[in-house]
Amino acid sequence: MTSQNPIFIPGPTNIPEEMRKAVDMPTIDHRSPVFGRMLHPALEGVKKVLKTETAQVFLFPSTGTGGWETAITNTLSPGDKVLAARNGMFSHRWIDMCQRHGLDVTFVETPWGEGIPADRFEEILTADKGHEIRVVLATHNETATGVKSDIAAVRRALDAARHPALLFVDGVSSIGSMDFRMDEWGVDIAVTGSQKGFMLPPGLAIVGFSPKAIEAVETARLPRTFFDIRDMATGYARNGYPYTPPVGLINGLNASCERLLAEGLENVFARHRRIAGGVRAAVEAWGLKLCAVRPELYSDSVSAIRVPEGFDANLIVSHALETYDMAFGTGLGQVAGKVFRIGHLGSLTDAMALAGIATAEMVMADLGLPIRLGSGVAAAQEHYRQTTATAQKKAA
Ligand SMILES: *Cc1c(COP(=O)(O)O)cnc(C)c1O
């Protein structure tokens, strides 16, 4: 790859110049006050992005997967009951991690393409009279299927059942690109990573703990050392880490939060909605269907696109890379070979999205799919012209 083209995998995302520069720095003494002046604003910036006043934020040298482990090992004990839905590869992996930690997971098998069944959660939680379920897991945005779930509805299910379980949300491919409200939705642990909405290289697990989640830490008996938030909190109080911090990434996180907050979170979400709308208009013009089965489930950060029956979707991804030097996402798990994915999160503009759509068209035409060149591009152009005009009218 020449690195000249934007990438359309749903993470890691394109790294803007200002973030690349912020990450690239000389070694500093990470036990000096200089580091504290970098760390604390980054923690505050993340709180704003999570829309929380009350949570405590922790930054581990890890990835989103380490964020999942941080959530469960700090709050649960072997044999504890967990409720989840399996509707894609990422929810599947979090469930698998819980099982490997000796947790007792009840999961609702949900078709890939559907969202979290909050009504089923309410029934299960209502039936759990003894309040044995300790945690409800929710994947906000299933990156494998391009499905966004309604976290507010999951919170309403917990409240309607008057159930005290903690609510843990995987927001790895939504936070910083789609609306996320930690306090308002009563999220007890929010998990993300540096390489998606934050537009940084991979390497940070970013995790927010509500006061209620922090209370659970003292009684939790799952083994943890590297991911123990108590050691991390002790480190932070002294402007340091329990081990060597990824200083460049934390400096980058500051730059990233500054950029997201300067653009304005609502504008960031609107930009993602607009870009996604253009991609969806193109998919419709191609006569193809999304994996997500209903418009309210459509993700604004990634589209998983079904290819015609019998055609191998992986060919699109490999041909795009070999011929046009452009990266799209493959299908994962149950939908491997059946979908390809256009990631549209992070640092992206309408014009960049058009380049991706145009390339996908060339690839599909090369491979003999009945795609008319320019059809998807024209549909997306119309969408961007109209939505840009609307935005301008509003601003005037
Ligand atoms: C990318 C992603 C993850 C975590 O991936 P890492 O590779 O560990 O950063 C988890 N959940 C979702 C929904 C994701 O998109």
Side-chain angles (χ1 to χ4, degrees):
M1 295 194 73
T2 60
S3 305
Q4 290 291 319
N5 286 328
I7 48 153
F8 293 94
I9 50 174
T13 62
N14 299 295
I15 307 175
E17 196 59 22
E18 68 220 75
M19 260 65 100
R20 210 175 311 183
K21 283 182 177 152
V23 167
D24 179 6
M25 54 178 298
T27 305
I28 61 155
D29 176 1
H30 61 271
R31 300 192 193 281
S32 73
V34 179
F35 177 64
R37 290 199 286 274
M38 214 176 274
L39 171 67
H40 293 290
L43 299 172
E44 285 307 310
V46 171
K47 282 179 69 172
K48 293 198 179 92
V49 174
L50 296 177
K51 292 193 182 163
T52 178
E53 303 270 329
T54 54
Q56 248 175 283
V57 170
F58 301 97
L59 309 171
F60 288 93
S62 183
T63 67
T65 306
W68 291 340
E69 191 162 326
T70 302
I72 63 172
T73 57
N74 278 282
T75 55
L76 294 170
S77 301
D80 273 355
K81 286 193 167 35
V82 171
L83 173 63
R86 180 156 71 183
N87 65 334
M89 201 60 189
F90 293 91
S91 43
H92 165 72
R93 285 190 187 148
W94 204 3
I95 289 167
D96 175 57
M97 174 186 277
C98 288
Q99 291 171 331
R100 291 204 230 171
H101 278 81
L103 298 170
D104 177 2
V105 190
T106 300
F107 56 90
V108 182
E109 268 310 349
T110 306
W112 289 35
E114 281 284 353
I116 296 171
D119 47 347
R120 274 296 290 139
F121 276 18
E122 186 179 330
E123 287 167 16
I124 294 167
L125 291 163
T126 305
D128 179 33
K129 299 285 179 224
H131 294 165
E132 286 185 13
I133 296 168
R134 296 290 317 279
V135 165
V136 174
L137 302 182
T139 302
H140 187 197
N141 188 72
E142 242 309 341
T143 319
T145 57
V147 164
K148 170 189 66 180
S149 284
D150 185 348
I151 301 302
V154 176
R155 167 45 64 197
R156 283 196 299 274
L158 276 152
D159 292 349
R162 298 176 184 277
H163 201 291
L166 296 162
L167 173 58
F168 294 177
V169 178
D170 172 345
V172 181
S173 62
S174 59
I175 290 168
S177 50
M178 284 156 55
D179 193 15
F180 185 86
R181 309 177 190 187
M182 184 162 185
D183 285 359
E184 191 182 317
W185 295 342
V187 174
D188 291 298
I189 298 187
V191 174
T192 187
S194 49
Q195 80 275 26
K196 296 193 182 168
F198 286 102
M199 306 165 283
L200 293 167
L204 284 181
I206 301 169
V207 196
F209 272 62
S210 75
K212 190 173 159 193
I214 292 197
E215 247 174 61
V217 174
E218 286 313 317
T219 50
R221 283 181 288 104
L222 278 179
R224 58 197 186 270
T225 47
F226 189 83
F227 289 122
D228 197 321
I229 64 159
R230 294 169 300 187
D231 297 337
M232 195 55 98
T234 306
Y236 289 175
R238 298 177 189 144
N239 292 325
Y241 258 57
Y243 32 71
T244 314
V247 174
L249 281 170
I250 291 168
N251 199 43
L253 187 59
N254 259 319
S256 165
C257 291
E258 270 170 28
R259 173 163 161 154
L260 289 170
L261 297 167
E263 183 177 348
L265 290 177
E266 305 315 313
N267 296 328
V268 170
F269 306 150
R271 174 167 55 81
H272 281 81
R273 203 173 312 125
R274 190 178 66 246
I275 290 173
V279 172
R280 293 192 283 260
V283 171
E284 197 185 333
W286 294 333
L288 297 177
K289 291 234 169 331
L290 293 171
C291 183
V293 295
R294 280 188 306 284
E296 71 263 30
L297 299 173
Y298 293 167
S299 162
D300 288 335
S301 62
V302 54
S303 295
I305 301 157
R306 288 197 179 274
V307 296
E309 200 78 36
F311 183 86
D312 179 7
N314 289 332
L315 289 176
I316 294 176
V317 178
S318 55
H319 185 80
L321 200 62
E322 284 157 19
T323 312
Y324 299 108
D325 197 20
M326 193 167 275
F328 296 103
T330 56
L332 304 173
Q334 271 185 31
V335 291
K338 295 181 181 159
V339 306
F340 74 102
R341 293 176 300 154
I342 300 184
H344 34 77
L345 76 160
S347 176
L348 220 55
T349 63
D350 302 356
M352 288 158 89
L354 286 170
I357 294 165
T359 307
E361 268 176 7
M362 292 193 285
V363 169
M364 289 189 283
D366 290 353
L367 295 172
L369 287 173
I371 300 289
R372 192 163 44 81
L373 289 181
S375 58
V377 171
Q381 285 171 323
E382 257 335 308
H383 179 80
Y384 295 144
R385 288 177 68 221
Q386 283 165 17
T387 48
T388 302
T390 314
Q392 280 168 352
K393 240 182 275 160
K394 264 196 210 143

